[in-house]
Amino acid sequence: LENSIKNLISDSNDEWSITTLNDKGKIIVDIKGHKNKIPASNQKVLTTAFALDILGPKYRLSTKLYFDKEKNVYEIIGQGDPDFNENDLLKISDAIYDHFLDNNSDNLVIYIYEEPKINWWNSTWTSPDKNEAYGAPITRLALTSNAKEFSISDPLSRFENILRISLESKISNFTIIKKPHSQFKNEKASYPLLKIESAPLYSLLNLANSESHNFTSEVLLRVSSGTWNQHDAITKLSDWTKTIRFPSKSITPIDGSGLSRSNRLTTNSIAHLLYRMNKHKHRNYFISSMSLLGYRGTLRTLNTNSQINGRFLGKTGTLTGIRSLSGYLFKDNEVNYVSIITTSTLDIDDRYQQILNKVFTNNECN
């Protein structure tokens, strides 16, 4: 099988890393599988596995409105819900106004808590990427994932302005104050007036993996690690990899989405991570979050034949000059774990199809 795949890529052999494991986790293809590569969005395989293991499939991100009785202020905090939108913010505005009327107060003050700007983007992301929707800033209070056609460069001001406009239609005198999230220390002294929850984590995994949504994967990294500081979050992710029995020494994660070109993974480590996650108690949630070849997500338009159509659940990755594909190839009652990273992008979809077909039809896989 390895020789037949080498023949498929013989014109650019040095540009490929390919690892395949059989159903028992044994390596059956190893073509430069231990060479560190830029994984592009295959980085999300690592991030989403971490999130599922730490948070569980039913976890929901929340955006909360509190009222601090001691300070007589309203407080808004969030967790970066990728689907939080203007209608949700209007619900918060209505809840503030209704409570304010019932409270018979003369002074309406609202604190909105957010991370410092240094935590909004990964330090290794390029300026052009930060301007695109896929490179939008990662904030706790995010409307439409901080993007429309392009990235919203100042999402906190956008959040404040929409809240202000909504309140101005109801009341003439109020104050909105921006505060660092680290200053929100008084949750026990406050009580929640409103909580808006995200879709459950298993749906967010689909958004991150099947649709390759960068904002969602970055938020999942931060929430799972318990910190919005990018260095500390990556440290927590790296520490976690040492607990799940796979080749963690061969990885250097830098962000949660794969947008950074400083990430390093090997196809050997990705394939083994896929194998480990198929033994996880939440395996079905993880595997089903992937794109389904020929049907769903970033693999829905891959031109393939009926032999493997609907039999491969995987994660694609794309950066300029880099393509990656990793996932689960099902044959009867067996599953093979495939990971591919290459800088040879010519006719890449056809190459993917040919490699997967070889794995699917080879008897060594079983």
Side-chain angles (χ1 to χ4, degrees):
L1 175 61
E2 184 173 303
N3 287 334
S4 65
I5 291 178
K6 283 181 177 178
N7 289 334
L8 291 176
I9 59 173
S10 59
D11 60 331
S12 54
N13 188 272
D14 290 340
E15 299 180 59
W16 293 79
S17 288
I18 303 173
T19 300
T20 300
L21 311 181
N22 68 7
D23 193 63
K24 297 179 177 61
K26 177 184 176 182
I27 295 175
I28 54 176
V29 174
D30 183 22
I31 302 172
K32 299 181 176 64
H34 293 274
K35 185 174 182 179
N36 279 313
K37 294 275 192 176
I38 302 172
S41 279
N42 271 206
Q43 178 73 16
K44 294 182 177 74
V45 174
L46 184 62
T47 305
T48 54
F50 175 50
L52 182 60
D53 188 56
I54 298 298
L55 301 175
K58 304 296 179 63
Y59 184 89
R60 294 175 185 264
L61 306 175
S62 63
T63 306
K64 297 178 181 179
L65 169 66
Y66 286 95
F67 179 65
D68 188 323
K69 292 179 288 186
E70 295 178 358
K71 298 178 181 178
N72 196 36
V73 298
Y74 297 88
E75 300 173 302
I76 304 173
I77 64 169
Q79 289 184 296
D81 179 356
D83 293 319
F84 190 88
N85 56 42
E86 291 187 22
N87 287 332
D88 294 318
L89 185 52
L90 293 181
K91 293 176 184 177
I92 291 178
S93 171
D94 290 340
I96 292 173
Y97 178 67
D98 291 342
H99 184 269
F100 177 70
L101 289 182
D102 293 339
N103 202 37
N104 295 318
S105 174
D106 296 327
N107 188 30
L108 176 54
V109 179
I110 304 164
Y111 292 166
I112 54 177
Y113 291 90
E114 188 51 84
E115 295 294 324
K117 199 168 185 177
I118 193 173
N119 290 341
W120 290 7
W121 287 277
N122 186 281
S123 61
T124 65
W125 290 4
T126 67
S127 294
D129 282 340
K130 292 177 183 178
N131 292 326
E132 299 294 334
Y134 59 76
I138 315 303
T139 61
R140 291 176 177 270
L141 299 175
L143 293 171
T144 59
S145 299
N146 290 336
K148 289 188 176 179
E149 184 178 356
F150 296 101
S151 169
I152 305 299
S153 61
D154 190 354
L156 186 56
S157 292
R158 178 193 183 202
F159 187 97
E160 178 190 2
N161 289 338
I162 293 175
L163 176 61
R164 185 180 300 279
I165 291 170
S166 175
L167 287 171
E168 284 174 345
S169 66
K170 307 178 183 73
I171 189 170
S172 58
N173 187 26
F174 60 89
T175 303
I176 300 176
I177 300 174
K178 303 173 186 176
K179 284 184 169 287
H181 186 269
S182 59
Q183 291 186 11
F184 183 78
K185 303 288 187 181
N186 59 342
E187 188 164 348
K188 292 182 179 179
S190 308
Y191 66 90
L193 297 178
L194 181 67
K195 180 167 72 171
I196 297 174
E197 293 185 322
S198 73
L201 184 85
Y202 62 81
S203 292
L204 300 182
L205 296 183
N206 277 282
L207 186 57
N209 282 332
S210 184
E211 300 301 329
S212 204
H213 195 245
N214 288 345
F215 182 90
T216 299
S217 57
E218 293 291 347
V219 165
L220 292 180
L221 169 64
R222 287 153 175 77
V223 174
S224 303
S225 62
T227 176
W228 234 254
N229 177 284
Q230 58 181 317
H231 177 268
D232 292 345
I234 288 299
T235 299
K236 293 286 183 65
L237 173 62
S238 297
D239 290 344
W240 172 81
T241 64
K242 299 169 186 175
T243 70
I244 59 170
R245 299 191 306 173
F246 89 112
S248 60
K249 291 182 179 180
S250 60
I251 72 171
T252 306
I254 298 297
D255 69 8
S257 61
L259 185 56
S260 173
R261 286 180 171 266
S262 299
N263 289 303
R264 292 294 183 273
L265 291 176
T266 67
T267 56
N268 179 275
S269 63
I270 297 173
H272 278 91
L273 176 60
L274 293 171
Y275 176 77
R276 295 307 309 170
M277 289 307 293
N278 195 26
K279 309 301 179 184
H280 194 277
K281 62 182 178 180
H282 298 313
R283 59 179 293 278
N284 290 334
Y285 291 105
F286 184 74
I287 296 172
S288 64
S289 73
M290 304 291 177
S291 297
L292 181 60
L293 193 147
Y295 290 96
R296 186 184 73 226
T298 56
L299 285 171
R300 63 184 175 275
T301 59
L302 186 66
N303 183 25
T304 184
N305 56 40
S306 59
Q307 179 174 239
I308 57 174
N309 221 34
R311 291 181 176 268
F312 182 74
L313 280 156
K315 179 77 199 75
T316 59
T318 302
L319 287 173
T320 302
I322 299 166
R323 293 290 294 272
S324 55
L325 177 69
S326 300
Y328 301 89
L329 182 60
F330 293 89
K331 178 182 179 182
D332 300 324
N333 295 321
E334 305 285 339
V335 59
N336 300 130
Y337 309 87
V338 182
S339 183
I340 304 166
I341 302 177
T342 181
T343 54
S344 178
T345 59
L346 183 64
D347 298 325
I348 186 63
D349 287 347
D350 288 339
R351 298 284 187 107
Y352 282 161
Q353 175 182 323
Q354 292 167 8
I355 292 169
L356 292 176
N357 279 334
K358 287 288 185 182
V359 176
F360 184 77
T361 57
N362 195 278
N363 290 330
E364 293 179 52
C365 298
N366 300 318

